[in-house]
Amino acid sequence: MRTVLPTPCGQDGFRRRPPQGPQALPGTGSVMRPRTRTIIIAALAGSLAAVAAPVGSAAQSDVPATLDGHWTCGGPGVPATQRTYFTVPASREGTRLRPREVFAAADRVERDGRPSTSFEHITEQPDHTLTVQSVEGNGTAATAGTDTGPLRFAGRTADDAASFTLTYTIEGGTLHRSATRGGAVIDDERCTREQAAPVPTTCDHPNVPAGVVHAIEPDYPPAAAPALPSGIVYVRVVLDDRSRVLWADVSRSDNAVFDETATLAARDSTYRTAVRNCRSVAAIYIFGVSFAP
């Protein structure tokens, strides 16, 4: 069961995706069905190794640089959790400078037996401070941490009801992740990195671009129905090396009314990540949707 990207959520930091489907028109019992067509026009942006040439950034021996990979986590009162992190290095696309970003997802089975997923996004700013969007909250860190010092974010909880901290520490190969809400600890995990699978020396298809396996076609948003405008939205989809979606956000749009439905469709589609020299690698995919009356 997949959840939406960080928005206000429960105190445990995990929550489930709200129901999706046709929406009843206000004040009526009827359901608005799309009267328009949508066309998927997805296009490959490239694997992380080839998106763009990295540019100068903070020292790459800091905490974000050591998070990459898959981790098995647990702690007192915390259900077993699988966490995945992948870093997109700072890069230049023409005249545009993209910052270093870390994308993450976490899966666990709650005590009531229901699966849940959360997402996280860390961005390095031009002054080398870092910001985080997580299900526990949003905050800022003055430094990226080191091998001996933590990466500590401070800010407000996702519902803006309390103060929030999120701390990452690497201790001898063990990842320690902890979060607080108003001074109370709401997450305290220690994680062990999963061993990477061996890479075959030969394979039938050593280099394969990322692609869509199954594209979700979005509904025409009810908010756009009165005017019936057209528009194209391009959504950046970040895939890990196991083809799961870690993040989806709008890369370019000519009509904001379509942004949310296009992002949800991109996020809920399934993909095959890129293969480079017989090894699956994290990739960025541009998922485009054309909306027309």
Side-chain angles (χ1 to χ4, degrees), residues 1-88:
M1 186 173 192
R2 194 175 284 171
T3 63
V4 295
L5 302 179
T7 55
C9 57
Q11 292 191 13
D12 63 354
F14 280 69
R15 47 151 179 67
R16 294 161 185 80
R17 177 184 173 187
Q20 301 291 320
Q23 300 295 312
L25 289 171
T28 75
S30 63
V31 172
M32 175 175 287
R33 301 284 180 181
R35 293 184 292 162
T36 58
R37 59 190 174 89
T38 57
I39 303 173
I40 307 299
I41 49 173
L44 175 68
S47 68
L48 295 188
V51 170
V55 300
S57 183
Q60 299 301 297
S61 60
D62 53 22
V63 173
T66 62
L67 289 176
D68 275 16
H70 305 278
W71 302 78
T72 300
C73 307
V78 178
T81 303
Q82 302 297 315
R83 292 191 176 273
T84 299
Y85 297 86
F86 277 99
T87 300
V88 178

Side-chain angles (χ1 to χ4, degrees), residues 18 26 41 74 122 131 136 166 170 215 230 254 261 277:
I41 49 173
I122 298 172
T131 58
E136 294 97 350
L166 174 63
I170 305 293
S230 300
D254 59 15
T261 186
N277 297 325

Side-chain angles (χ1 to χ4, degrees), residues 210-252:
V212 175
V213 175
H214 176 68
I216 298 297
E217 182 175 340
D219 289 334
Y220 195 87
L228 294 178
S230 300
I232 299 177
V233 181
Y234 295 95
V235 181
R236 179 181 64 154
V237 180
V238 180
L239 306 173
D240 74 4
D241 62 339
R242 297 176 180 176
S243 298
R244 76 167 299 176
V245 175
L246 296 182
W247 197 262
D249 56 20
V250 173
S251 176
R252 188 168 82 253

Side-chain angles (χ1 to χ4, degrees), residues 125 127-132 139-145 150-154 166:
Q125 304 302 315
D127 61 359
H128 299 311
T129 60
L130 293 96
T131 58
V132 66
T140 302
T143 67
L151 167 60
R152 184 178 186 275
F153 297 96
L166 174 63

